[in-house]
């Protein structure tokens, strides 16, 4: 007889929890989960330890089956646009709220694994309405925490607690907490943020993968001395770029920061993820790849190219010189700052 899973415990929200920042959780380093080599497939298997994750199914009203959405690397006409994709386990896509425009206090019901992304997601429950939503979880976020969004403006209760006058320092001390979503102009300089948007109303587009974050480095001022239109952030790649002051950002670091240290252990686990093998060009015939053919491991004394003859390495640039990216203040360092020789066509 099937037994229904126990209902999740609803955490009660007190008045002190609303006015106090979330607790700081020090992980104290990290350790990977290893296995006894009972089979060759688990000898080199390494996984991060995430005992706080939800063990049950996802919240089904916020999911839908992945059927036909970019399966096999094909577009809407059926042509393969991304190679080495196909197969894999059945999935359900989680509808994650990247914009977080709805105000009000929300409690974290649980932290879940999302097969469609590297970071974990958090199921939120609105205290006033009971509406549920998924967000990208912050590192250190646990069930029972409270978060809030200030995209629509400052609540009247918070403004009244500051004496009816907006004090930037006091406002940051009461709002810039882990997991809270704020417009960029309300975030203090030097704060680590993730799920960073580029324009108002668009939602987060940067720093959504596991362990990623951006740093707020500057805020522009116009001629009258008030806040300008843009805020400058520095990404982990070293790129410095401008975003709108009304764009959204979540305070903290994206969860599952130890994801980069995982080891799948066997090729079959790669197939379960929907990733097919990558065949080297030098292992093909001359009719299949420009590097194919010949005797031995030889690619014919040509520079590395794609199967269609386009340069694949050596820093080949595709952006037009007369169309620079106006939002980038400082480009990221490429090739460790060394110059590479030009491709010979």
């Amino acid at each position: 007889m099937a037994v229904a899973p126990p209902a999740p415990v609803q955490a009660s929200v007190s008045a002190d929890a609303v006015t106090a920042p979330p607790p700081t959780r020090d992980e104290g380093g990290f350790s990977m989960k290893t296995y006894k080599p009972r089979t060759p497939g688990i000898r080199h298997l390494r996984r991060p330890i995430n005992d706080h994750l939800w063990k049950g199914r996802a919240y089904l009203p916020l999911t839908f089956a992945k059927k036909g959405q970019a399966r096999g690397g094909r577009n809407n006409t059926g042509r393969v646009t991304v190679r080495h994709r196909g197969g894999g386990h059945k999935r359900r896509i989680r509808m994650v709220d990247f914009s977080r425009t709805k105000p009000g206090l929300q409690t974290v019901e649980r932290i879940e694994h999302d097969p469609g992304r590297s970071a974990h997601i958090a199921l939120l429950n609105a205290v006033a309405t009971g509406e549920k939503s998924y967000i990208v979880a912050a590192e250190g976020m646990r069930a029972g925490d409270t978060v809030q969004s200030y995209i629509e403006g400052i609540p009247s209760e918070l403004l009244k607690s500051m004496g009816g006058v907006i004090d930037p320092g006091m406002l940051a001390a009461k709002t810039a907490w882990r997991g809270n979503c704020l417009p960029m102009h309300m975030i203090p300089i030097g704060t680590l943020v993730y799920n960073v948007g580029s324009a108002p109303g668009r939602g987060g587009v940067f720093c959504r993968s596991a362990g990623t974050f951006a740093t707020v480095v500057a805020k522009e001022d116009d001629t009258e001395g008030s806040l300008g239109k843009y805020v400058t952030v520095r990404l982990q790649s070293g790129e410095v770029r401008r975003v709108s002051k009304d764009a959204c950002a979540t305070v903290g670091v994206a969860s599952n920061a130890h994801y980069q240290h995982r080891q799948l252990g066997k090729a079959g686990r790669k197939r379960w993820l929907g990733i097919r093998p990558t065949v080297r060009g030098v292992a093909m015939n001359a009719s299949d790849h420009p590097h194919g053919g010949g005797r031995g491991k030889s690619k014919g004394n040509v520079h590395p190219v794609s199967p269609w003859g386009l340069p694949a390495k050596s820093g080949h640039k595709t952006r037009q010189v007369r169309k620079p990216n106006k939002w980038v203040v400082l480009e990221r360092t490429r090739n460790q700052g060394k110059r590479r020789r030009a491709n010979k066509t």
Side-chain angles (χ1 to χ4, degrees):
M1 183 177 65
V3 179
V9 178
Q10 299 290 338
S12 59
V13 181
S14 61
D16 296 336
V18 178
T19 58
T24 302
R25 297 181 175 92
D26 187 11
E27 302 295 339
F30 77 98
S31 59
M32 305 293 289
K33 185 176 182 180
T34 58
Y35 301 85
K36 275 190 175 182
R38 294 187 176 91
T39 61
I42 63 175
R43 178 179 294 274
H44 301 288
L45 180 61
R46 303 289 185 273
R47 286 173 173 169
I49 299 176
N50 295 312
D51 295 332
H52 61 281
L53 292 182
W54 172 249
K55 303 299 190 298
R57 297 190 66 182
Y59 184 66
L60 291 182
L62 291 178
T63 64
F64 61 93
K66 184 176 182 180
K67 293 183 179 179
Q69 292 88 3
R71 294 302 295 264
R74 288 163 173 81
N75 60 3
N76 59 344
T77 62
R79 294 180 180 270
V80 176
T81 56
V82 181
R83 298 189 300 158
H84 316 134
R85 299 284 181 91
H89 198 279
K90 291 196 301 183
R91 294 183 181 180
R92 294 190 69 86
I93 297 178
R94 277 70 169 171
M95 293 181 286
V96 180
D97 183 14
F98 294 109
S99 56
R100 298 185 64 181
T101 57
K102 296 182 179 179
L105 191 66
Q106 294 174 311
T107 60
V108 179
E109 194 166 303
R110 63 199 187 206
I111 308 295
E112 297 183 9
H113 164 73
D114 186 357
R117 67 189 70 254
S118 56
H120 298 151
I121 57 177
L123 180 64
L124 303 184
N125 183 23
V127 176
T129 62
E131 184 179 359
K132 298 183 184 297
S133 61
Y134 276 128
I135 66 167
V136 178
E139 184 70 18
M141 182 182 290
R142 295 294 184 270
D145 292 353
T146 58
V147 295
Q148 197 165 352
S149 176
Y150 299 93
I151 294 297
E152 296 298 325
I154 303 174
S156 58
E157 296 83 3
L158 180 59
L159 188 61
K160 188 182 298 182
S161 65
M162 294 188 296
V165 180
I166 298 178
D167 184 5
M170 186 179 297
L171 182 63
K174 290 179 176 293
T175 58
W177 300 341
R178 180 191 62 220
N180 285 356
C181 185
L182 289 81
M184 292 298 299
H185 65 84
M186 287 179 56
I187 302 177
I189 295 177
T191 307
L192 302 183
V193 293
Y194 72 99
N195 190 33
V196 181
S198 60
R202 185 180 177 186
V205 292
F206 302 117
C207 305
R208 306 193 316 194
S209 300
T212 57
F213 61 88
T215 308
V216 181
V217 296
K219 298 180 182 181
E220 293 184 356
D221 295 332
D222 60 7
T223 55
E224 283 93 19
S226 60
L227 187 64
K229 295 181 179 179
Y230 304 104
V231 175
T232 306
V233 297
R234 181 175 64 246
L235 306 180
Q236 285 177 290
S237 62
E239 179 179 289
V240 180
R241 63 184 301 138
R242 298 185 305 168
V243 297
S244 173
K245 69 180 182 66
D246 296 322
C248 67
T250 306
V251 179
V253 180
S255 56
N256 199 15
H258 306 316
Y259 175 81
Q260 59 176 332
H261 302 295
R262 78 200 186 287
Q263 295 181 16
L264 297 181
K266 64 178 184 179
R269 239 173 229 106
K270 207 78 170 177
R271 301 303 298 265
W272 297 345
L273 297 177
I275 302 174
R276 301 183 69 243
T278 302
V279 181
R280 296 169 296 120
V282 293
M284 300 182 186
N285 295 325
S287 59
D288 299 325
H289 200 280
H291 297 168
R295 297 184 178 181
K297 298 180 180 179
S298 172
K299 57 182 174 51
N301 196 22
V302 295
H303 289 289
V305 294
S306 69
W308 304 276
L310 299 178
K313 294 183 180 179
S314 302
H316 177 68
K317 298 180 179 180
T318 57
R319 177 174 290 277
Q320 297 183 11
V321 179
R322 297 183 180 180
K323 291 185 178 180
N325 191 347
K326 64 179 181 178
W327 305 112
V328 176
V329 178
L330 178 65
E331 291 187 354
R332 63 183 176 91
T333 303
R334 302 173 187 271
N335 192 30
Q336 291 90 34
K338 302 176 184 178
R339 296 185 62 183
R340 286 187 174 182
R341 60 183 180 180
N343 290 319
K344 297 181 181 180
T345 57

